[in-house]
Every structure is written in structure tokens, then in C-alpha cells.
Amino acid sequence: MPIAEMAEAFAAGLHQVLAPGTFGLMLFGIALGFAVGILPGLGGPTTLALMLPFIFTMQPVEAFAFLLGMAAVTGTTGDITSVLFGVPGEPTTASTIVDGHPMAKKGEAGRALGAALMSSLVGAVFGALALAAAIPVVRPLVLTFGSPELFMLAVLGLTFVASLSGEAVVKGLIAAGMGLMLATIGLDPISGTERYTFGQLFLWDGIGLVPITIGFFAIPEIIDLAVQRSAIARSTVGKLGGVMEGVKDTFRHFCLVIRCSALGAYIGVIPGMGGGVSQWLAYAHAVQSSPRRERFGKGAVEGVLGPGAANNSTLGGNLIPTVAFGVPGGVMTAILLGAFTIHGLVPGPSMLTPESRGGHLSLTFSFVWTIVISNLVTVTICFLFLRQLAKVTQIRGSVLTPPILLLVYLGAFAEKNAIEDLLLVLIFGAIGWAMEKLRWPRPPLILGLVLGPLAENRLFLSVDNYGAAWLWRPGVLVLIAITLIGALYPVFKRYLLRREQPAGHAAVRTLAFDRTALFTLAIVAATAWALWESRGFGLRAGLFPWAIGFPLLALGILQLFFDVTRMGQHAGTRSPEPAPEIPPAVLATRTVAAFGWILGFPLAIWLLGFTIGGVLCTLLALKIGSRERWPISLAIAAGAWTFVYGVFVEALHVPFPPGALFAWLHVSVP
């Protein structure tokens, strides 16, 4: 590609981002990212999923400026909570606690925050530049890939995510297979055959990414917030001083910051790794490269600089396989891939081709500019309002849960304007909560759901064009080998660890059938039923369900055997479960109450409509469920009604149903 075309697209990307409408939406996304990063428990992926319904009416550059502006800053602001309170604002900022919080305890909170914010800015800019530099390199590689290689890349991405599920590699593979099977629900795009629709018209288009993602990630977090019933931060903030000293530390250890930024970008390119992995690798590198390792864990500034740089450069690396191959680098980019689908964009050559040739290269470069500008704005605001931002963490979880629940159901409805999607939120919220409690990995399922349609299309084209010969293409063989290594390496590692155990710690098997085994049995039964139903689909409609269903059934039976026999446990090595902070009886009561409100919201919405039922349920949840004072409850309920009516009814013109009760009474509701 000529350099002139690249430079023109690079400048066009900046011009698009700085357009007033796009820039305003980016600032709005940054503001949401601020709140999400500072408040523990919400999570970047959760909020990103909640915001997907808002992008339907936006232009592509506006949508990605809004979403990327939000995603780019959650790690930066999450460091504030990690340093001040020892509670990670985001999972990707957990390693900042190790040295950042001890610095705060020693009266160096300002220095730790200055170091975290400036290293985050350097890391974000490095990751964005890595994305820009990769574009001319990956484009020739992408053009050499055919359908077989693209299908195997999707499988590779899912396998990498599954293999990073700790010791639960089989569970990760099963979760990925579940996501792929869920993606087959609806009408087959070629033959028009109905697949797993249960005769329901609203399932003909498949199950939406938005309600499932919202239910999967938001509902478990809401339950946790409702159960805890405490202030998010349980300590007060002392005096913040020495911020500029932390900024100077960034440049004193600039080589370390650059090395950790490069490490984060590199880890981000590998599908499934993400900031959760890169932060700890960067921390380990900071320790190993220091001549005074004994300082770490007690307040070493290098322990803040390394993770701060790495977890912010990871997003730029994550976007490289996402844009080039349609393989998400992590959960957040998997949700962003859903935004590609919403706007009819296909990752691959078109995203790396200039507009003059029918591509979207300037849009890709706008991603680079959005990451850079978002982090510049965020770090500037953080430096100006650190003290005020710290006070936000004092908000109680009980105040947050009712309005967030309303937003969950608003977002789920707005994708298709279908009240049935509220039921999907409930179903997949319960499944997501169960998977979290039973320690099943959730990201592989979401990635499988996102990649399912692309993988199915590429598998059909591979079989249709090459027959079985596509399996012997050199690129496919290389990717199969890498996939097998990624899947088997954790198993091999566990085998080696077992062999190193003393003789008295040999593996034992004890027969037991508990809730974990029951959940696995439900998966096996559902997979067997899906395969039985697919017997009449025909070759085109049944190819993908068969290719996924039979391995999924085999893996499910294997995992059921592990669960029932407790295979892999070692005598004398199991650590006792930590005693819960909340008594079990109280925990059970609060959990049931949380589920009651989660079920009550869609019921009230169905009976009375969103503008009346949703807002009324918000008020009751605040006053009765959270026991808030009347002024606070009324103020939040009024704000919720203003938001619902102003944004959804007036601005977006969402056709809310009037409510079943009013329909029965033949009463017209404005």
C-alpha cells in the first residue's frame, strides 16, 4: 500500500474523531469509563455490553469512538481505587494493589497515583501506536488467508481463551462450545431451516448478543452488590500529596515503562490473554529486573509503573487480531466485535483497505486516535480532580443496583424492541451466576457466541469449495498444531506438577454427586437434545451443529466424570474454603431477595410498561429493598424517569409497549 494512502487515511481518522458529534460521544464514553473504573464490581465488559443498544442509530465512527473511549479509560481510573482502598476498580488493575496500596498506607498515595496515571498514559499511547504500526504489516498476511485458515483462526482464538481458564481447561472448551451452539439458534442463513426456535417467531433472527452479554455479566455483579450491602470503599482517603513525584518516577524508570508497554501490547495480540495476564507478567518483569527485589510488596514504585503501563497497552494489542482476523483478543474486544456486526462491518481486508478502494482504513485509524485522545483527556482530568474522584468510591452498592437493573432491561429491550429479550436476560443471568459460583469460565461462551456466525460461514465455504482437502492446507495444519499445543499445554503442565508431588500426596478419587456435577449433567443433556433435534436439519443447516455438538458432548461426559469422581484432587493439598464474611443464612436470604427484585423488574415492565413499571420498581427497590431514605429514593427515581423518557422515548423513539395491564383494561397510556 502506498505511504501516501496510509498517511491520508491516518489524517482522515483524526479528522473523523475530532468532528463535533463524534468527539462529544467520545467524551460521554470517557465519562462512563470514569465511573466504571472507579467503582469496583461494575466491570468494563459489563458496561460495554450495557451500552451496545445505544449505538444502533450512530454512524460507525461515532459508535466506536463512544465504545472505545469508554473501554480505553477503565484501566486508568481503576488504578485510583486499587491504590487508595486496596480494592481493584477493574480486574486488570489488581496487581497495582500489591505495591500501590502499601505506598498509600505509608503516606505516598499521591506519588503512587501520579506514577500509575502517567505510566497508564504512556502504555495506552504505546498500544495505540502498535496498532497503527501493525496495519501495513498484517494486511498482506490477511490477504493470504482463505476460508479454511479463517475458520481455524476462530477455533484457535476460542481454544486460547479456554486454555487460560486456570485448571479448568475442559470447562473452558465446553463453555466455548456452548457459545458456538447458541449461535446456531434461528433460521439458517442459506437454507432457511429453523434451528432450535421452539416455534417462537422472535428466535428466527437468533438470540441477540446484547441480552445474553448483559445477563451474563451484569446480573451476577448486581447480585453481588445487592448481597454485600455495604459502601464500596470501607476506608477513608488521607491527604494526597507527591503526585508530581510519581510523574517523575515514570520518566526515571522510562525504560521499564516502555518494556512493560511492549509486553502488554504483545500479550494483547494473543487471543484470550488480555490485561488480566499482562498486568501480572509486567509486575513479574518489574521484580526480576530490579536490583532491590526485597522492596516489592512493601511500596516499590516500579511495582506500580509496570502493571500501569502493561494493562493500558493491552487494548491496542487486543485490537490487532480483532480488526485483522475477526478474532477478539479479549472479552472487551469480543463485545466490540458485536458492534462490528451491528454496523455491518466485517473484520479483515476491508478494515485495512483505503476508502478509495471500498475499504474502511480511516475508520481503523480512528481507533488509534480514539485511544490516544481518550487517555490524554482522562489523565488530565484525573490529575485535576483526584481528590473529588476518590470520594465517588464512597457510594453504596445498594444505591447503584436498582438504577443499574433498570438500565439492564432497557438495554436488552432496545436491541430488537422485543419484550421476550427480557426473559433471555433472566435466563442467561441465572446461567452466568451459576457459572460464576461453580467456577466455570464465562468469557469463552461469549466469544463462542460472537464468533459462531463467522465460524459457521467459513466452515461451510471451506467444505463447499475444498471438500475434506481443506484440512490438509499448510496454513490449516500449522494452525491446528498451534491449537493443539494451546489446549494440551495446561494439561501437560498439570501432569508434571502432579508427578512432582510427594508420595503421600497422590491423586485420589472420591465418588460424589453435587451441584457442580448436576450443572455439568444439564449441559450434557442439553447437548444431547440439540444433536437429536439436528438430525433433520440437512447437510447445510446441520454441518456446524454436528461439527460442534459431538465434540461438546464428549467433553461434557469427560467433565461429568471428573466432577463425579473428583479426579485431579490431591490428598492433603486441598486448602479449606475461606470462611464467608456474611453468615450463610443471611447470604442465602439476601441472594433470594436479589433474585426477587431481578425477576420483579421485568414483571413490572410487562404489566405497566417501562416508563411506569420500570421507574416504579426502581423506587420500590430503593425504598423497600435497599432501605434508602425518601429524598434519595425519589431523586434517583425521578432521574431514572427523566432518562427513560428523555433518551429512549424522545431522542431514540424506542416503541415501548404500553403494558399488559393497560391493554387488558383498554386504557390508553401516553
Side-chain angles (χ1 to χ4, degrees), residues 315-359:
L315 179 60
N318 280 163
L319 283 169
I320 294 173
T322 305
V323 171
F325 303 107
V327 178
V331 180
M332 288 232 269
T333 44
I335 297 171
L336 284 172
L337 194 59
F340 276 81
T341 304
I342 288 171
H343 282 280
L345 299 170
V346 179
S350 65
M351 298 300 299
L352 308 173
T353 303
E355 274 72 6
S356 59
R357 301 187 215 165

Side-chain angles (χ1 to χ4, degrees), residues 81 83 234 255 265 291 318 336 357 379 398 411 434 462 484 562 606 626 650:
T81 313
V83 169
R234 301 181 183 180
C255 289
N318 280 163
L336 284 172
R357 301 187 215 165
V379 171
S398 59
S462 300
L484 290 174
F562 290 166
W606 174 66
S626 301
E650 291 295 328

Side-chain angles (χ1 to χ4, degrees), residues 157-247:
L158 287 166
T159 305
F160 266 65
V161 174
S163 66
L164 289 165
S165 305
E167 295 185 351
V169 180
V170 177
K171 288 183 178 179
L173 292 171
I174 292 172
M178 289 166 61
L180 292 171
M181 288 297 287
L182 287 171
T184 64
I185 294 175
L187 297 181
D188 174 65
I190 303 298
S191 65
T193 304
E194 287 189 47
R195 300 186 298 192
Y196 315 122
T197 60
F198 304 99
Q200 298 297 314
L201 201 61
F202 89 100
L203 287 177
W204 280 20
D205 289 332
I207 50 178
L209 175 68
V210 173
I212 290 183
T213 307
I214 289 176
F216 228 54
F217 287 100
I219 295 297
E221 299 295 344
I222 288 170
I223 293 171
D224 186 60
L225 279 172
V227 166
Q228 294 301 318
R229 289 189 183 178
S230 61
I232 289 174
R234 301 181 183 180
S235 57
T236 56
V237 186
K239 185 178 180 180
L240 295 178
V243 175
M244 288 309 299
E245 191 65 24
V247 174

